[in-house]
Amino acid sequence: MTMPASCPAFRRAVLALALVVVGVPALAQETGPSPLRSGESANQFAANQAVGEAVLIPNRVIYPGETIELAALKQVTLVPGKHTPDGMATRSEELQGKVAKRTLVPGRYIPAAAIRDAWLVEQGASVQVYFTAGALTISAAGVTLQPGAAGDLIKIRNVDSGKIISGTVMADGTIRVGAS
């Protein structure tokens, strides 16, 4: 006996088969109308539906080096009982303004390891380097040898001496060095 394509069990079986063949995307709850079970009112059906977790996933390909904007993401509600795997970024606070380290595919979770903060200083940029010990502050001009975000440890070349030193990128774009 053949089943009609509109049968919910048939659609679920086809979806499960597609997931096994293609991979494991973020499982979203269907948003279309769902059929009522025999003798069930619309209010009873709505009460029985558990609300799934809402997550953000890409709605288009996001390429490495591209800044992630909310327009490139869509919000989906996970199937009830399905939870986001550990290590995935799914909230706007985790994603807005970050930069993709690798290609992010539509309909898939975004691993936290696949995004980074935007660079605060670029490679080759002129920066102020500060050393502070108590009341003593020494500043020098430097050139970054690698890019960095706030809090990153990067290498800098002192413009006057030519020596290469390491320092921490501060939120204002300056570099703080310590005694070695």
Side-chain angles (χ1 to χ4, degrees):
M1 179 168 134
T2 60
M3 297 197 134
S6 63
C7 178
F10 180 75
R11 286 193 314 207
R12 279 188 289 244
V14 169
L15 178 61
L17 180 62
L19 290 176
V20 170
V21 173
V22 176
V24 183
L27 293 176
Q29 187 172 356
E30 290 185 35
T31 56
S34 299
L36 296 176
R37 293 182 206 119
S38 61
E40 184 177 41
S41 72
N43 289 337
Q44 289 172 332
F45 180 76
N48 289 339
Q49 291 292 315
V51 177
E53 182 181 357
V55 298
L56 292 172
I57 59 174
N59 62 9
R60 64 174 179 80
V61 175
I62 300 173
Y63 294 100
E66 185 178 343
T67 301
I68 300 172
E69 297 185 15
L70 291 179
L73 304 171
K74 70 177 175 181
Q75 183 173 352
V76 296
T77 304
L78 297 181
V79 173
K82 174 80 173 155
H83 297 288
T84 308
D86 292 337
M88 300 296 166
T90 58
R91 296 188 331 261
S92 61
E93 308 84 50
E94 299 172 311
L95 296 168
Q96 176 67 28
K98 302 286 185 176
V99 176
K101 290 165 107 177
R102 63 179 193 227
T103 304
L104 304 176
V105 183
R108 305 280 179 165
Y109 291 116
I110 301 173
I115 58 175
R116 65 169 172 79
D117 289 328
W119 297 135
L120 194 55
V121 293
E122 294 292 333
Q123 181 175 346
S126 295
V127 292
Q128 275 304 114
V129 180
Y130 291 99
F131 171 80
T132 304
L136 174 69
T137 300
I138 300 172
S139 68
V143 175
T144 58
L145 299 178
Q146 55 192 137
D152 287 351
L153 185 67
I154 64 170
K155 294 189 185 275
I156 309 105
R157 175 175 286 121
N158 183 319
V159 173
D160 296 327
S161 68
K163 291 198 180 212
I164 297 174
I165 54 176
S166 294
T168 304
V169 179
M170 305 306 289
D172 61 358
T174 61
I175 310 297
R176 182 181 49 128
V177 297
S180 52

